[in-house]
Amino acid sequence: MTIAVGGFGLSGIPANLIQALRDSGVTGLTIVSNNMGVDGKGLGLLLENKQVSKVLGSYVGENKLFAEQYLSGDLEVEFVPQGTLAERLRAGGSGIPAFYTPTGVGTPVAEGKPEAVFDGQRAILERGIIADVSLVRAHQADPEGNLRYRMTAQNFNPLVAMAGRLTIAEAEVLRQDFLDPDQIHTPGIYVQRVVGAGNAEKHIEQRTVRVRTEA
């Protein structure tokens, strides 16, 4: 199965749904995500459990196990420029099978992909992404599945929610009333399941502090 997962690093990741996926023991997964979290956290849990066979992502620098499995040949990786990944998810969710982009022309990203020229500029063909299941994290969800994210947790979550044949959202607040239409980030038409996020700890990927200055 192809599983698309929202989040950026550890910000806005559906931590509970990732753990449930880990606990299911399913293997041979193709994961679509900006990155694979860090060692021992987020999507790194699936790598530790050897449940992932392929990754479509933009960044791998924070996960040593990811690099080890890739370099050893245990993990197939398709590197996708970050903006292209976002657009491939949006396209898949919008029913657009493919699009041309100049990003990646003349690099390994373009290998094996059709190329065309538009107004004198070279562009390569990229396929839209449709996931079997999408997992996202929201701040609020209402009874119709409408979602609202909080601050930077919006990141890839709205795009991932669009791209799933079956989208499951975990939300910190399960509202009994309906979200104001002007406040909705993801319309409920894209969401098939909603669960409570509980009080799971929100991990910080890199903790930085200001250097103390002498008084």
Side-chain angles (χ1 to χ4, degrees):
M1 296 182 73
T2 296
I3 312 291
V5 184
F8 190 100
L10 298 179
S11 176
I13 63 170
N16 296 284
L17 294 174
I18 292 171
Q19 291 178 21
L21 186 59
R22 188 267 318 267
D23 294 344
S24 75
V26 64
T27 58
L29 295 174
T30 294
I31 299 294
V32 180
S33 181
N34 179 66
N35 57 70
M36 290 297 290
V38 301
D39 295 285
K41 297 175 183 175
L43 289 168
L45 296 175
L46 303 183
L47 291 176
E48 288 184 350
N49 217 27
K50 296 184 177 180
Q51 294 173 263
V52 183
S53 61
K54 181 178 180 178
V55 171
L56 280 74
S58 296
Y59 180 66
V60 301
E62 301 299 328
N63 195 309
K64 294 179 181 178
L65 184 58
F66 186 115
E68 291 174 4
Q69 291 186 4
Y70 170 58
L71 293 173
S72 68
D74 294 331
L75 185 66
E76 182 182 353
V77 178
E78 180 180 340
F79 288 108
V80 186
Q82 194 168 84
T84 300
L85 180 62
E87 184 63 11
R88 288 181 67 184
L89 289 163
R90 190 198 70 82
S94 300
I96 299 171
F99 60 92
Y100 278 97
T101 175
T103 303
V105 167
T107 74
V109 169
E111 292 179 2
K113 296 175 181 176
E115 183 175 313
V117 178
F118 298 90
D119 300 323
Q121 186 174 35
R122 296 165 61 195
I124 56 176
L125 187 69
E126 294 281 3
R127 296 288 302 271
I129 294 174
I130 299 176
D132 296 302
V133 178
S134 285
L135 306 178
V136 299
R137 169 77 174 231
H139 180 237
Q140 298 183 55
D142 71 16
E144 289 296 327
N146 298 307
L147 305 179
R148 180 169 177 78
Y149 310 98
R150 183 175 179 272
M151 299 183 178
T152 56
Q154 190 166 176
N155 50 59
F156 274 84
N157 279 300
L159 301 168
V160 167
M162 291 176 64
R165 291 189 177 93
L166 172 68
T167 294
I168 308 173
E170 64 176 59
E172 296 175 41
V173 178
L174 298 177
R175 297 174 56 129
Q176 300 303 310
D177 59 345
F178 297 104
L179 285 164
D180 183 323
D182 289 333
Q183 301 299 315
I184 291 171
H185 292 142
T186 294
I189 191 68
Y190 291 115
V191 180
Q192 284 72 49
R193 306 281 189 276
V194 175
V195 298
N199 297 314
E201 179 182 0
K202 294 181 180 179
H203 296 284
I204 297 175
E205 189 168 348
Q206 293 188 13
R207 187 181 298 274
T208 59
V209 295
R210 183 178 301 168
V211 175
R212 184 186 299 274
T213 57
E214 298 296 332

